[in-house]
């Protein structure tokens, strides 16, 4: 990819984030009248609590033709707390804010200064935040505050949507221990096998864990399925971002299986329909014996459908995001070719 293409990708990502920012503003102030496909600038600026009073200014944000200034972000944050996390501290924002932050990290290969160090820092921050959130499920120990990531924020992201622990995979002994406050009840929302798949404190370990959840029984019916959809996409983006700043062979860093799955998920979420469908036969060769081919195909289709719906709800076309997130380099094939 040329430097010009890289700059264009960053500009596209920023336009998409600006559109999502505008839609969040409108959703708060316009309520049921909010239409994610329409700028509705006139309706917004006349609202007495609106942080923006100029129609031209709002339309420039909506179309992404003007960067939202820091003082405007601060005003917006006063009216809608954490809305600024579309553009700063994305890694501790909402699921979609974190997801878009990961896609920007993936595209970050240009700019002044040491972009490699900035990219590594963003990867580390994004992965640490996601791990903190998903610790609600995978950790048997009682939840605890994790550095700058507050307990309240962790529970807001995942624990709140789970409601009370169902203990559906807990045996009698575990139930007693949960009720006694000795262990985390949310850990029994998934099978022991899924929890055990969380093996390391890095992006590939997180990705492997989230991937195991994709094939859990009835996972599509769980309240955290949309969050899983966005976070496995972010994890795949972080893995691909790491490959672009790591001089080691991707097979050495991730292993053949993880490497394959990163691109299977990337194709499911971001390739066009023809490429996605065409990739399924070869992708199915990576499926373990515990997952049937029909189950694999169904889950990839469900993942893609849910992702497209979530993106559309934020007022963005799937094609817009696909143009910057689809995998241009297939590290699986590249690594195989180097070994021949």
């Amino acid at each position: 990819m040329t430097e010009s293409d890289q700059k264009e990708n960053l500009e596209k990502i920023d336009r998409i984030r600006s559109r999502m920012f505008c839609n969040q503003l409108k959703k708060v102030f316009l309520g049921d009248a909010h239409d994610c496909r329409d700028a509705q600038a006139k309706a917004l600026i006349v609202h007495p609590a609106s942080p923006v009073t100029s129609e031209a200014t709002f339309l420039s944000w909506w179309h992404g033709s003007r960067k939202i200034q820091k003082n405007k972000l601060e005003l917006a944050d006063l009216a809608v707390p954490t809305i600024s996390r579309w553009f700063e501290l994305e890694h501790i924002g909402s699921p979609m804010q974190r997801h878009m932050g990961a896609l920007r990290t993936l595209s970050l290969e240009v700019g002044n200064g040491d972009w490699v160090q900035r990219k590594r820092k963003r990867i580390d921050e994004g992965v640490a935040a996601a791990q903190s959130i998903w610790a609600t499920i995978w950790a048997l120990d009682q939840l605890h505050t994790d550095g700058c990531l507050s307990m309240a924020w962790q529970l807001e992201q995942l624990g709140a949507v789970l409601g009370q622990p169902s203990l559906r995979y807990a045996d009698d002994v575990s139930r007693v221990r949960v009720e006694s406050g000795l262990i985390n009840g949310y850990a029994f929302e998934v099978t022991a096998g899924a929890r055990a798949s969380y093996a390391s404190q890095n992006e590939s370990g997180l990705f492997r864990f989230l991937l195991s959840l994709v094939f859990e029984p009835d996972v599509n019916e769980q309240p955290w399925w949309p969050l899983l959809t966005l976070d496995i996409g972010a994890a795949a983006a972080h893995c691909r971002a790491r490959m672009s700043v790591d001089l080691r062979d991707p097979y050495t860093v991730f292993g053949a299986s993880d490497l394959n799955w990163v691109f299977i998920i990337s194709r499911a979420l971001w390739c066009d329909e023809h490429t996605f469908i065409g990739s399924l036969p070869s992708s199915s060769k990576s499926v373990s014996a515990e997952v049937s081919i029909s189950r694999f195909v169904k889950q990839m289709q469900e993942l893609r459908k849910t992702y497209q719906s979530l993106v559309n709800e934020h007022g963005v076309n799937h094609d817009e995001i696909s143009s910057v997130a689809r995998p241009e380099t297939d590290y699986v094939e590249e690594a195989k070719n180097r070994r021949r």
Side-chain angles (χ1 to χ4, degrees), residues 278-323:
S279 71
L280 289 175
S282 60
S283 295
S284 66
K285 296 175 184 177
S286 297
V287 177
S288 65
E290 292 80 19
V291 180
S292 67
I293 300 300
S294 60
R295 171 75 171 156
F296 161 74
V297 172
K298 177 180 181 295
Q299 288 306 95
M300 292 302 100
Q301 290 174 326
E302 288 293 330
L303 202 66
R304 182 178 177 86
K305 182 174 72 174
T306 300
Y307 185 75
Q308 290 176 334
S309 175
L310 291 169
V311 167
N312 289 336
E313 287 172 12
H314 283 78
V316 175
N317 292 323
H318 180 251
D319 289 348
E320 292 179 77
I321 288 188
S322 294
S323 68

Side-chain angles (χ1 to χ4, degrees), residues 45 154 180 230 303 329 334 340:
I45 64 172
Q154 293 181 49
S180 301
L230 292 174
L303 202 66
T329 301
E334 185 181 82
R340 286 172 183 164

Side-chain angles (χ1 to χ4, degrees), residues 17-35:
R17 296 196 301 173
S18 189
R19 174 71 58 86
M20 290 180 170
F21 168 92
C22 290
N23 269 318
Q24 186 177 353
L25 267 184
K26 292 196 297 107
K27 188 173 183 178
V28 169
F29 291 111
L30 302 185
D32 292 341
H34 164 61
D35 180 351

Side-chain angles (χ1 to χ4, degrees), residues 14-314:
D14 286 343
R15 283 198 299 271
I16 291 169
R17 296 196 301 173
S18 189
R19 174 71 58 86
M20 290 180 170
F21 168 92
C22 290
N23 269 318
Q24 186 177 353
L25 267 184
K26 292 196 297 107
K27 188 173 183 178
V28 169
F29 291 111
L30 302 185
D32 292 341
H34 164 61
D35 180 351
C36 67
R37 296 293 173 182
D38 186 357
Q40 300 175 291
K42 290 181 180 178
L44 177 65
I45 64 172
V46 297
H47 192 287
S50 174
V52 56
T53 56
S54 164
E55 182 178 356
T57 295
F58 184 76
L59 287 175
S60 71
W61 298 350
W62 178 262
H63 296 296
S65 58
R66 182 189 300 174
K67 185 176 179 180
I68 304 173
Q69 296 174 322
K70 188 168 182 60
N71 66 319
K72 298 293 186 183
L73 276 180
E74 291 171 351
L75 283 174
D77 243 350
L78 291 174
V80 184
T82 74
I83 195 172
S84 64
R85 289 179 186 166
W86 288 110
F87 303 101
E88 55 189 27
L89 299 177
E90 306 102 302
H91 62 287
I92 53 171
S94 70
M96 185 61 83
Q97 287 171 333
R98 291 188 293 105
H99 182 82
M100 293 307 301
L103 296 190
R104 194 175 198 283
T105 299
L106 178 62
S107 301
L108 185 63
E109 295 189 15
V110 293
N112 297 325
D114 190 346
W115 65 266
V116 172
Q117 290 303 319
R118 294 205 313 276
K119 191 164 186 170
R120 286 175 175 158
K121 181 175 183 289
R122 287 178 63 94
I123 294 168
D124 292 341
E125 289 174 340
V127 170
Q131 286 171 335
S132 181
I133 293 167
W134 286 97
T136 305
I137 278 185
W138 67 259
L140 277 173
D141 294 336
Q142 280 291 357
L143 303 180
H144 59 278
T145 301
D146 185 9
C148 66
L149 303 176
S150 70
M151 169 69 78
W153 180 72
Q154 293 181 49
L155 293 178
E156 178 188 351
Q157 296 293 294
L158 184 56
V161 302
L162 286 174
Q164 290 298 311
S166 69
L167 303 182
R168 61 183 187 145
Y169 291 112
D171 58 23
D172 291 342
V173 173
S174 297
R175 285 175 180 272
V176 171
R177 296 183 71 197
V178 170
E179 290 168 5
S180 301
L182 299 176
I183 56 177
N184 170 26
Y186 290 120
F188 300 98
E189 296 298 310
V190 299
T191 61
R195 287 201 311 275
S197 69
Y198 190 95
S200 58
Q201 298 288 318
N202 58 28
E203 59 277 357
S204 59
L206 175 65
F207 176 81
R208 197 178 305 117
F209 169 67
L210 297 178
L211 180 64
S212 72
L213 297 185
V214 171
F215 297 105
E216 283 280 278
D218 305 318
V219 65
N220 311 62
E221 308 303 320
Q222 301 307 312
W224 42 268
W225 171 251
L227 177 60
L228 174 60
T229 299
L230 292 174
D231 274 4
I232 196 170
H238 283 135
C239 286
R240 288 166 53 197
R242 183 73 74 187
M243 293 176 203
S244 70
V245 295
D246 198 316
L247 298 179
R248 295 173 294 171
D249 188 308
Y251 262 86
T252 302
V253 179
F254 294 100
S257 177
D258 286 354
L259 200 58
N260 272 302
W261 276 106
V262 164
F263 284 92
I264 289 171
I265 295 299
S266 293
R267 285 189 286 265
L269 295 183
W270 297 305
C271 282
D272 60 74
E273 194 72 16
H274 177 76
T275 302
F276 165 62
I277 296 298
S279 71
L280 289 175
S282 60
S283 295
S284 66
K285 296 175 184 177
S286 297
V287 177
S288 65
E290 292 80 19
V291 180
S292 67
I293 300 300
S294 60
R295 171 75 171 156
F296 161 74
V297 172
K298 177 180 181 295
Q299 288 306 95
M300 292 302 100
Q301 290 174 326
E302 288 293 330
L303 202 66
R304 182 178 177 86
K305 182 174 72 174
T306 300
Y307 185 75
Q308 290 176 334
S309 175
L310 291 169
V311 167
N312 289 336
E313 287 172 12
H314 283 78

